[in-house]
Amino acid sequence: MLIRDNQPSIEHSIPVNDEPRTRSEVKIPNGMSVQNRVMPETASESPAAPIKELKNFVDGEFVSGVRLFDDINPADGTVIAQVAEAGPELVDNAVQAARRALDGEWGSWGVRQRAALLYKIAEGIEARFEEFVRAESADTGKPFALASRLDIPRAAANFRVFADLIKTAPLEAFETETADGKRALNYAVRKPIGVVGIITPWNLPLLLLTWKVAPALACGNAVVVKPSEETPASATLLAEVMRDAGVPRGVFNLVHGFGEGSTGEHLVSHGGINALTFTGESRTGAAIMKACAEGVKPVSFELGGKNPAIIFADCDRDETVQQMSDAIFLNTGQVCLCAERVYVERSIYSWFVSAMKERAESLNVGWPGDEATNLGPLISAAHREKVLSYFRAARDGGATIVTGGDVPKFGDARDNGFYVQPTILTGLAESSCCVTEEIFGPVCHIAPFDTEEEAVAMANDTEYGLAASIWTNDLKRAHRVARQMNVGITWVNCWFLRDLRTPFGGVGLSGVGREGGVHSLNFYSELNNICIRL
Ligand code: NAD
Ligand code: 6OH
C-alpha cells in the first residue's frame, strides 16, 4: 500500500520501475525514465564539475581538514574535487558541537517544530534536485536517469516520511493491577538517544545517509555523519541544505575521510557518541562493533548480502525477466539487495538463461549523462579489480560465461573509467566463491533446481540473510516459501519495492537490528517508562 502525505507529489514507496514523475520526463530503453532538465549538452559529456574543495561541516560552519584527498569520477577516472579529511581534533569538535546542540535550543524543540524542519529539508533537496543528481552521478558514475528516479527523490522522501511518523508515533501505555487491588499506570516517553554517529557507504550515497539522518533528527538527536570517502559530494550539498533550512548549529555535522586509521575510526572510538548506525560491509561492521563494545553503545548495522532469487516455472515470464534485470544489474549491481544467486526451476532454466542473456546484452553501458545509458561504471579501480578477480575465479572454476566477463572497450575517455560488462555465469558448484561471497557487481550465477525444497535449501545455504525474491503465480507457494527464507526482507514478484514504514535489515552477516518506520524511531530514541501508582 502506498501512503501519501499532505503533499501528494511524493510517494513514500518508490518502486524501482516507477512511472515518470512529470510530463518533462522522457522514456529510455528498459523502462527507465529521466528528466530532461538534468541531461547534459552532449551524449558524451562527463558530469564532472570544476575542481573544488569539499569541506567538513562542523558546528554550522564549513571547515578544512588535516589534508586533502582526491574525489574521482569513475566514468573516466578524472579528479573532480579535493576532499578535506577530518582529523581526530575535528571529529572531537563535531561531537562536542553536537553535544552543545542537544543542551541548547535544539534540545527544547518539540515534535511539531522538528517535523516542520524535516519538511523544509525535503523541499531544500528538491529545490536543488539537478545539483544533487549531478553530484551523485559524478561521484558514483550512476546514470542521471537512476539518480533522478531513485536516489534523490528517496532522499527527500526519507525526511517527509520520518516527519510524518514522529508526529503520529503513539506512546506505549499499560494499566497495571497491583497485588493490593489498586492500580498503576505505566507509560513510556520517547527521548533522544543523544549524539548519533552515522557512517555510510558509496553505492546509494544520499539515499542511505538520509535514511539514517532523517529519523535521528526526527527523534531530536544531533548527528555526526561520515559519508564514504568515495562519495563526499551529495553529503556536502546536504550540509548546505541543512544550513539554509535553519537547522540549528551543531545538530548536523559532517566529517569527511576514510575508515580504518582515519575519520571513521576516530568517530566510532569517540567516547562522546551515544549510538552508532552503519551501512556497509559485514567485515567493517565487525570492526565497528568491537569499537562500540568499549562504551556499550547501541549499534544498528545494515550490511552485505548474497541474495537469492527463486524463479518457479509458473511465474509471469516476461515480467520476471524484466524485473530480474533490475534485480541483477541496477546501479551496476552495486545494491546490497541485488540478486547474485538465481535459482530457476529446471523446466524453464534454458529459456530463462537465454532470456537474461538477451536482456543483459541489450543494456547500454556508457556515460552517466547519456539518456540511452542503463549501466554506469563500478565505483573505483580497486572495486573493479575485486569484481574482475571473481570473473577470473569463475573461469578457473569451469563456469560457463553466458555473457560478459570482461571490460568493455570504448575507444574514448571511458577507457580510463571503471566499467565491466554485465555478466551471467552458470555451471559453478554452490561452494564456489562466486556463489558464496558478495561480489557487488553486475553479475549473477544462475543454477537449476528440481523441487521447492531443494530451492529453499540452496537459497538459505549462506552466512548472509538480507533479501530474497520469489517469482511464482501460486499464492500458497509464495506464502510458504517466503516464510522459510532466512532473511530480513522477502519480495514476491517484485524487487526493491519499498514502503518506508516496514522493517528493513538482515540476519546473520547481513546486519544487526531493523530500521524503517517505528523500528527507526525506537533505535534513535531512549524510551523512559514512567510507572505511577494510582
Ligand atoms: P565499507 O564497509 O567499506 O565502508 C562503509 C563506510 O564505513 C565508509 O564510510 C568507510 O569509510 C567506513 N569505514 C570503513 N572501515 C571503517 C572502520 N574501521 N571504522 C569506521 N568506519 C569505517 O562499505 P562500502 O564498500 O562503502 O559499501 C559496500 C558494502 O556496503 C557492501 O558490502 C554492501 O552490501 C553494503 N551495503 C549494505 C546495505 C544494507 O542496507 N544492508 C546498503 C548498502 C551497502
Ligand atoms: C543497499 O544497497 C540498499 C539499501 C536500501 C535501503 O536501506 C532502503 O531503505 O531502501
Side-chain angles (χ1 to χ4, degrees):
M1 183 184 72
L2 301 180
I3 52 170
R4 289 173 190 280
D5 61 14
N6 52 9
Q7 287 144 312
S9 61
I10 292 292
E11 288 176 349
H12 293 176
S13 161
I14 301 177
V16 166
N17 290 309
D18 209 358
E19 286 304 305
R21 296 192 322 151
T22 70
R23 280 169 186 277
S24 70
E25 292 170 331
V26 292
K27 275 275 188 191
I28 60 172
N30 96 336
M32 291 182 173
S33 67
V34 64
Q35 290 182 292
N36 287 330
R37 63 196 173 94
V38 298
M39 298 313 290
E41 301 289 302
T42 66
S44 63
E45 181 198 343
S46 158
I51 297 278
K52 59 177 176 180
E53 184 182 337
L54 298 175
K55 293 191 172 174
N56 304 284
F57 184 70
V58 172
D59 202 15
E61 309 282 344
F62 282 97
V63 288
S64 296
V66 284
R67 70 179 184 104
L68 293 170
F69 63 91
D70 289 344
D71 180 14
I72 306 232
N73 180 349
D76 57 12
T78 53
V79 176
I80 47 178
Q82 297 271 295
V83 192
E85 181 180 342
E89 212 171 292
L90 191 54
V91 171
D92 183 49
N93 290 350
V95 175
Q96 304 288 350
R99 179 66 54 199
R100 281 195 302 280
L102 289 166
D103 295 340
E105 178 205 346
W106 173 248
S108 66
W109 281 33
V111 161
R112 285 219 286 192
Q113 210 177 349
R114 295 202 300 262
L117 183 69
L118 296 198
Y119 292 130
K120 226 171 153 190
I121 296 166
E123 284 158 20
I125 293 171
E126 284 162 355
R128 300 180 68 177
F129 190 86
E130 181 173 340
E131 277 177 87
F132 273 105
V133 167
R134 284 181 178 273
E136 205 72 314
S137 179
D139 269 2
T140 58
K142 72 178 68 195
F144 285 16
L146 182 59
S148 304
R149 178 165 57 85
L150 176 68
D151 301 66
I152 310 307
R154 232 320 275 284
N158 285 339
F159 285 101
R160 288 214 168 87
V161 167
F162 285 106
D164 287 351
L165 280 167
I166 197 67
K167 281 196 303 185
T168 53
L171 292 181
E172 265 183 83
F174 295 94
E175 196 178 50
T176 311
E177 291 178 11
T178 57
D180 59 3
K182 296 194 174 163
R183 285 171 193 276
L185 179 65
N186 281 281
Y187 65 98
V189 291
R190 221 174 251 296
K191 299 204 292 191
I193 196 162
V195 179
V196 179
I198 299 180
I199 299 187
T200 51
W202 45 258
N203 60 330
L204 304 171
L206 192 69
L207 185 161
L208 292 172
L209 187 144
T210 54
W211 174 237
K212 292 173 181 296
V213 170
L217 298 191
C219 293
N221 301 286
V223 298
V224 180
V225 181
K226 196 205 83 63
S228 168
E229 56 274 26
E230 309 278 6
T231 53
S234 58
T236 313
L237 264 183
L238 182 68
E240 291 181 18
V241 167
M242 293 276 176
R243 178 196 61 195
D244 298 345
V247 174
R249 291 172 81 100
V251 171
F252 175 85
N253 302 278
L254 171 70
V255 287
H256 289 300
F258 300 82
E260 197 178 354
S262 174
T263 320
E265 195 174 318
H266 303 323
L267 181 58
V268 298
S269 56
H270 195 292
I273 58 164
N274 301 104
L276 196 287
T277 177
F278 166 75
T279 300
E281 277 197 31
S282 306
R283 233 188 351 247
T284 313
I288 292 178
M289 203 168 200
K290 272 191 199 148
C292 288
E294 190 64 30
V296 201
K297 292 177 189 149
V299 293
S300 172
F301 289 166
E302 297 178 357
L303 307 175
K306 187 71 184 177
N307 310 301
I310 305 181
I311 298 168
F312 290 97
D314 66 0
C315 69
D316 183 333
R317 294 193 189 187
D318 291 343
E319 178 76 14
T320 302
V321 167
Q322 189 190 324
Q323 295 208 42
M324 280 303 297
S325 174
D326 271 346
I328 299 162
F329 299 119
L330 191 88
N331 206 38
T332 315
Q334 301 167 117
V335 179
C336 57
L337 308 159
C338 275
E340 292 195 1
R341 298 182 293 138
V342 183
Y343 300 106
V344 184
E345 196 162 354
R346 196 176 298 276
S347 60
I348 61 163
Y349 175 75
S350 301
W351 164 80
F352 183 82
V353 172
S354 337
M356 283 315 300
K357 174 180 190 299
E358 196 180 318
R359 190 85 194 173
E361 289 172 358
S362 76
L363 295 172
N364 290 311
V365 180
W367 286 112
D370 188 329
E371 73 177 77
T373 294
N374 310 119
L375 251 64
L378 294 168
I379 189 70
S380 63
H383 187 52
R384 179 166 71 174
E385 191 37 52
K386 175 184 157 184
V387 171
L388 291 176
S389 77
Y390 283 101
F391 291 176
R392 286 193 293 275
R395 281 199 179 85
D396 294 348
T400 301
I401 314 277
V402 175
T403 187
D406 216 334
V407 171
K409 298 281 175 289
F410 298 101
D412 60 28
R414 285 171 292 179
D415 290 335
N416 301 321
F418 314 128
Y419 290 88
V420 293
Q421 296 168 331
T423 298
I424 295 176
L425 311 172
T426 59
L428 285 170
E430 285 295 292
S431 58
S432 152
C433 64
C434 297
V435 185
T436 59
E437 296 171 16
E438 184 187 48
I439 303 175
F440 222 55
V443 52
C444 71
H445 180 255
I446 311 182
F449 69 85
D450 292 301
T451 65
E452 183 181 306
E453 293 69 28
E454 189 193 357
V456 168
M458 289 197 288
N460 281 338
D461 187 14
T462 171
E463 292 183 289
Y464 288 102
L466 186 58
S469 62
I470 299 164
W471 305 82
T472 178
N473 276 319
D474 180 336
L475 192 59
K476 284 190 176 165
R477 172 153 60 197
H479 283 287
R480 190 169 60 234
V481 175
R483 283 187 73 89
Q484 293 177 76
M485 293 292 100
N486 291 335
V487 295
I489 307 137
T490 304
W491 278 292
V492 177
N493 298 331
C494 58
W495 175 77
F496 202 2
L497 197 166
R498 297 279 287 115
D499 180 322
L500 307 186
R501 297 168 300 177
T502 58
F504 186 96
V507 306
L509 285 185
S510 292
V512 175
R514 295 289 181 274
E515 297 200 33
V518 71
H519 308 279
S520 295
L521 300 187
N522 287 344
F523 177 74
Y524 296 102
S525 314
E526 288 291 6
L527 289 173
N528 177 1
N529 187 68
I530 298 170
C531 177
I532 303 184
R533 192 170 157 82
L534 300 174

